[in-house]
Amino acid sequence: MLHVISQTPKMAQSGRPSGLPTNENISPSVTRVIVKTAGKGEDFMIADNTSVRQFKEKLSAHFECQMDQLVLVFRGRLLKDHDTLRQRGIRDSHTIHLVIKSKHRSRSLAHSSQNLLTKDPCHRDRNTKGNSSGVHQLASVSHTPVESALPVEPDAPKVHTQDLEVGYPDCIAQMLQNPSIQQLLSNMAPMRQFISEHPDLQQLIQQNPEVSNLLDNSEILWQTLELARNLAMIQEIMQIQQPEQNLEHPLNPQSYPGLETMPGGDNPLGRSYADCNDHMLNSLQDPFGGNPFTPLLEGHVLEPVQSSPLSPPQPQERRDQLPQLPTTRVIYTSSCGLSSITSANVVPDKVNHTSSASTTTISTKDRSHNWAIQQPAGVPALPSIELTQQPQAEDKDATTSRDSSDQKLKDDPQLSDEQSSSQITGSMVQLLLKNPYLAAQMMLFITMPQLSEQCRQQLPTFLQQTQLSDMLLALANPKASQAILHIEQGLQLLATEAPVLLPWVAPYLWGLGWLPSPSCSYPDTVPWAWDVPDMAEPKGPECCHKSGAARQRLQSLAGDSSHLPQAPEIRFSQQIESLQAMGFGNHHANLQALIATEGDTGAAIRKLKRSQGF
Amino acid sequence: MEPPNLYPVKLYVYDLSKGLARRLSPIMLGEGAGGGREGAGTAGRGKQLEGIWHTSIVVHKDEFFFGSGGISSCPPGGTLLGPPDSVVDVGSTEVTEELFLEYLSSLGESLFRSEAYNLFEHNCNTFTNEVAQFLTGRKIPSYITDLPSEILSTPFGQALRPLLDSIQIQPPGGSPVGRPNGQS
């Protein structure tokens, strides 16, 4: 049959009527073709001489679309209307691919950022702004320029919303650079309306009414918009490290909401903080008679951070004695108002190794206590440092006056506080872990009268939680405590041989809980020798009372860890009993569970139940 | 009548095993349907797979492939797999880029949704085959499309089928291709 057909002259160009024999097996003039669209194929019977156009008519009826939406592809070739199917070589059971074009024409690949034609730039712009209602409610003053400006945006790339996930940041950047957008942003009234109508912001205001105060302050708004208009500034601010941002926390958000943003507005704020610092320091200077932190920090390299410009010099006479350090401080903040001591925040600020003075600042405010510690670089050869305690009131001010505070305007201070507290805590914990000496000093520092009982009581739990028990364990190590003992003995020797050198090592001695006072009986002030079950009471209360208190505290801290060397069975004997009474017979499993949960019976029960397949 | 534009269509073939399949398949796959004869003289007793093939279609200077994340596209060779292990010339097509993307969108909503991915039955090679036929009318080489059945015909494949079924391959580096919003 095929051969017969091939011999008949086929006129490919002209469509013969159905008299021409074909190679279909169904009927002489009907071809069965498969039309595949969107992955499915359907059979169609068509007459042999069907033109593409006629075929399209048929298809459009079948698929319920317009003819110009149809595109037929056969073997990679587009079928034009004037061809016949036969011309293109379509035979029986061939597959023709059909694409039904959608009416919405523009489209692009996500990874290739193309500028697309759109039919409705205004509409799209409003959508991407995310607040169409705001635009519609533009004040009449700015309405006209904005409206006319919006259509004039063919230069801005218009990316489909589905592609926003890829090109979003670039898109925003380009949008912001567009002068019409800039103009819009500089209009206060519409922007305020705009912002206040945003659903997210309304939610925020519901939760935190203070934010509305911020928004109402037109100065703040203006500053923020100014910021928003300047992308580069935003980026720069974002890159200023996070910890700096956290320095905003010491600010009381209720007071001086806009001061930080105003140039020069930080001065009253700074002065107030400086006064606070002064009070604190004055009261603190007597009991310590020295800078307890300097020996810690000497040689300890805190996390290096970018340097930031100094604040303008504050009218403090004591401050003037100090060289203007580009903020080499670590500020420890603990918020006594918060229940858990994990709010003991450390804000590693900066480290500058070129400073030559060491200072300690303690400042307090109604919400938190701050300890500012400065890193002494350029220390003289001797490890001791001049024990001058100079107020450093400019610590907070330098940071608060920074423009990065602009960012805080929109954030709820509490939220950001909590956010950064975890960061701060983390960095502080790391810091303390690296410098166990520092941690010890911190604990001793807690004997400050200004601190509340609460802080002091919470410290043990806090330290446990933050894995400082490692340090305590280290100290519980008999060898370690022996080493400390050796140091003690060495100092003893030094005291007898060359007492003149004692002032140089005084900080260390103080750190060890022992002050160079001849009335102190040395053997009795054995510090932290925890393997010694009974500690001798210090004989010199006037010099050792602090150390005693510290030691007691450490004892209580070490109370748990000193038990660690004991066998877990002994430790958890009570819990094992209760577990067994409850019916968990496997003693070994019980013990394992208790060890894993550190003696928490409830958790151990859950663990056991899980493992036993309940 | 202007001559139609013809765009070349290439098939990029990647060996996901990077040569391991060729070396280890005789050992691992054991007796297959075709290689189980004793003393057949073959080097190994097992079936020989040349590779675990992942393919993609390159047309209009873009690479298109199907994975567990649906249809994706990237610049040619732009996935984490790097350059292809071999390139097969499929032919050429008149289909314009716009039309092709339209076509891919409709495929992505119907036959090649991301959840439709199955390592054996409906994988990247299925997609590539489909697209190649649309673009040029030709299919991709059979050694690629026969791979799942080759594996499943071995005891190894049968045994591991439940595990292998759950495997989803999505080479990183592509972005999704889909229908835009607002289409009628």
Side-chain angles (χ1 to χ4, degrees), chain B residues 28-44:
Chain B
M28 288 184 66
L29 292 188
E31 300 182 14
R37 291 193 302 274
E38 282 291 340
T42 56

Side-chain angles (χ1 to χ4, degrees), chain A residues 315-326:
Chain A
Q316 298 277 334
E317 88 248 355
R318 278 188 266 189
R319 145 191 306 273
D320 293 340
Q321 298 168 12
L322 288 175
Q324 288 294 340
L325 310 164

Side-chain angles (χ1 to χ4, degrees), chain A residues 537-552:
Chain A
E537 276 303 313
K539 285 246 178 83
E542 74 279 2
C543 66
C544 298
H545 68 280
K546 285 179 289 302
S547 57
R551 216 167 32 243
Q552 280 165 20

Side-chain angles (χ1 to χ4, degrees), chain A residues 218-287:
Chain A
S218 60
E219 277 291 329
I220 299 175
L221 211 56
W222 185 80
Q223 289 275 344
T224 312
L225 291 175
E226 190 74 42
L227 192 72
R229 285 164 52 165
N230 191 342
L231 251 194
M233 192 160 43
I234 291 180
Q235 283 172 353
E236 184 195 312
I237 287 173
M238 288 303 288
Q239 277 162 14
I240 297 175
Q241 61 283 12
Q242 291 286 347
E244 278 186 57
Q245 188 181 349
N246 301 333
L247 289 171
E248 305 315 317
H249 298 300
L251 287 179
N252 186 346
Q254 308 296 340
S255 63
Y256 315 116
L259 270 183
E260 311 87 59
T261 70
M262 294 183 189
D266 55 321
N267 276 331
L269 191 64
R271 273 197 288 274
S272 68
Y273 281 121
D275 293 335
C276 288
N277 290 344
D278 282 351
H279 289 309
M280 276 298 301
L281 290 169
N282 287 336
S283 51
L284 281 175
Q285 271 199 336
D286 293 335

Side-chain angles (χ1 to χ4, degrees), chain A residues 18 48 62 66 72 81 94 102 107 150 183 193 242 261 306 316 367 408 430 439 510-511 517 541 580 598 614:
Chain A
S18 50
D48 203 31
H62 180 86
Q66 319 238 327
L72 293 169
D81 285 359
H94 282 172
S102 67
R107 173 177 310 109
L150 284 180
Q183 187 191 11
Q193 225 172 356
Q242 291 286 347
T261 70
Q306 287 178 19
Q316 298 277 334
R367 267 182 71 177
K408 289 304 183 169
Q430 280 184 1
W510 187 92
S517 162
Q580 282 185 337
E598 300 262 15
F614 274 39

